[in-house]
Amino acid sequence: MKKACVVGYGNIGPVHAAALEKISALYAICDNDTEKLNRIDRDDIVKFSSFDDCLTDPKVEVVHICTPHYLHVPMAEKALSSGRDVVLEKPAAMNLCELEHLADIIKASRNRVCVILQNRLNNSIIRLKEITEKMGVPLGVCGFLTWQRTAEYYKSASWRGKLATEGGALLINQAIHLLDMMQYIAGEPEGVKGNIFNHSLQGVIEAEDTAEAIISFKNGCKGAFYATNAYSTTMPYRLEINYPDVTYRYSDNCLYEIKKDKTPTIIAEDCPAKIGKYIWGNAHHAAIERFYSEKEAYGTIFDAMNSHKLVYAIYESASKNGEYIKLGGN
């Protein structure tokens, strides 16, 4: 089993570390914040305060990049050039130019890169994918995200909510997962019309706390998307797939089958998160285990293209007063 270093030990780093411990792959933690490193009271885990120091240790074979968004591409590029495999948290990049640059780097590299969009591996989404592959193109797909991110959340880390360091806010950080599930289930997106708003965090963040969009898919499916971080609490994602005679609704971490004049039936349930926020589910472990097995398919930069391009297209549409933006090919 290859040995890994988790780079960035904030909110998501400990989730990666726990998954790596489960498969006996955790070797080191890297963070330039001494306080975060001091949380790790174990002699068997190496601690680095510098990314360069991490890359000089020959025992580090895989780098998990769990840092602020603006560091994702430069750190991935540096890790690949040093001969390491990379596990990269979303977003892979903050804009289309960065994404295409990263894809070119990965194509030229001999090393493997996994982009984490773990919700695809939740039990309910696995089941929903099986259903849609059997039933064919749905009439429509809609996705809702109602979360809460307060001023205190954004003030807790100086990079959050800033265009130069986060690339946006709600869309690129929280809602990218919902957009990924929508396109993963419904099909390849063709174009989008959208808008973004800052309803509750004016003067706190530069970017959006709310977004909405209408999405067209190449197969004829129609999509509706709404997300906000301005809600009173944080609820699980809601995703709905419509067919003429049945609807499948992913809500409360369960998948419901809804037929006319019948009581909705739960046909799948997610495993709850053991570490991190309950709304994340427990699929980080599955995504990381797939990557390390080297036998199962794992999420690549090319699997992540459509969801990232949807995010960037909604931003572009919003900047042009809701103009329709056609998505480019992979």
Side-chain angles (χ1 to χ4, degrees):
M1 184 68 68
K2 290 185 175 181
K3 297 300 180 184
C5 178
V6 176
V7 183
Y9 206 65
N11 286 338
I12 201 65
V15 178
H16 281 246
L20 289 167
E21 281 215 90
K22 187 178 177 183
I23 58 175
S24 302
L26 181 62
Y27 169 72
I29 305 291
C30 177
D31 201 297
N32 61 8
D33 187 333
T34 304
E35 183 179 334
K36 290 177 182 176
L37 284 181
N38 288 340
R39 295 177 194 166
I40 307 158
D41 187 22
R42 287 176 50 178
D43 295 331
D44 60 328
I45 297 177
V46 176
K47 302 175 189 177
F48 298 109
S49 59
S50 160
F51 187 52
D52 288 339
D53 289 344
C54 161
L55 296 182
T56 60
D57 188 330
K59 291 184 180 179
V60 174
E61 298 169 281
V62 187
V63 172
H64 285 239
I65 298 174
C66 303
T67 54
H69 297 179
Y70 69 98
L71 294 172
H72 286 189
V73 171
M75 281 189 164
E77 184 171 7
K78 199 168 188 177
L80 287 170
S81 66
S82 75
R84 269 70 178 197
D85 290 344
V86 172
V87 176
L88 182 59
E89 263 296 336
K90 58 75 195 169
M94 294 197 300
N95 53 58
L96 184 58
C97 182
E98 271 197 352
L99 185 72
E100 291 176 342
H101 174 65
L102 180 60
D104 287 341
I105 293 167
I106 293 171
K107 286 178 185 176
S109 174
R110 294 182 179 180
N111 291 86
R112 302 161 72 237
V113 178
C114 173
V115 177
I116 295 290
L117 288 165
Q118 78 284 350
N119 286 276
R120 296 182 185 193
L121 297 178
N122 283 332
N123 293 340
S124 297
I125 297 301
I126 291 172
R127 182 70 186 279
L128 185 56
K129 181 69 170 176
E130 292 170 348
I131 290 168
T132 54
E133 286 182 343
K134 181 179 179 180
M135 295 189 65
V137 179
L139 298 175
V141 55
C142 58
F144 300 92
L145 179 156
T146 50
W147 286 15
Q148 182 187 64
R149 289 294 183 267
T150 62
E152 288 70 28
Y153 167 83
Y154 284 101
K155 291 175 181 177
S156 68
S158 61
W159 63 276
R160 295 189 186 279
K162 294 180 180 177
L163 298 177
T165 49
E166 190 172 9
L170 162 82
L171 267 176
I172 202 164
N173 198 335
Q174 290 84 32
I176 190 172
H177 287 294
L178 178 57
L179 289 166
D180 181 65
M181 287 187 283
M182 290 176 71
Q183 67 84 29
Y184 179 62
I185 295 298
E188 185 177 351
E190 184 173 53
V192 65
K193 295 180 70 172
N195 274 295
I196 61 174
F197 311 91
N198 187 340
H199 289 314
S200 66
L201 293 165
Q202 297 92 341
V204 178
I205 63 175
E206 299 174 354
E208 77 288 347
D209 65 10
T210 301
E212 57 83 16
I214 297 297
I215 305 167
S216 58
F217 294 85
K218 290 186 175 180
N219 57 18
C221 180
K222 302 298 182 183
F225 161 82
Y226 175 83
T228 185
N229 274 339
Y231 192 52
S232 58
T233 188
T234 296
M235 298 298 295
Y237 298 107
R238 281 164 283 169
L239 175 67
E240 189 171 286
I241 297 289
N242 306 115
Y243 288 97
D245 301 317
V246 62
T247 289
Y248 295 94
R249 183 177 297 146
Y250 177 49
S251 179
D252 305 313
N253 302 119
C254 296
L255 180 62
Y256 297 85
E257 183 179 66
I258 305 168
K259 294 183 177 179
K260 188 177 179 180
D261 300 327
K262 292 188 177 181
T263 302
T265 304
I266 295 175
I267 59 173
E269 299 178 54
D270 294 345
C271 297
K274 296 177 181 177
I275 295 178
K277 298 170 183 175
Y278 78 99
I279 48 173
W280 291 346
N282 200 40
H284 266 95
H285 288 67
I288 290 169
E289 285 175 9
R290 280 188 174 211
F291 182 73
Y292 280 82
S293 75
E294 300 192 14
K295 295 178 182 178
E296 295 185 270
Y298 62 89
T300 70
I301 187 71
F302 308 103
D303 296 313
M305 281 285 182
N306 287 339
S307 52
H308 282 67
K309 287 181 178 179
L310 260 178
V311 168
Y312 309 146
I314 294 172
Y315 281 134
E316 183 181 355
S317 179
S319 74
K320 297 178 178 178
N321 297 314
E323 179 182 317
Y324 180 80
I325 303 298
K326 188 173 177 63
L327 275 70
N330 289 340

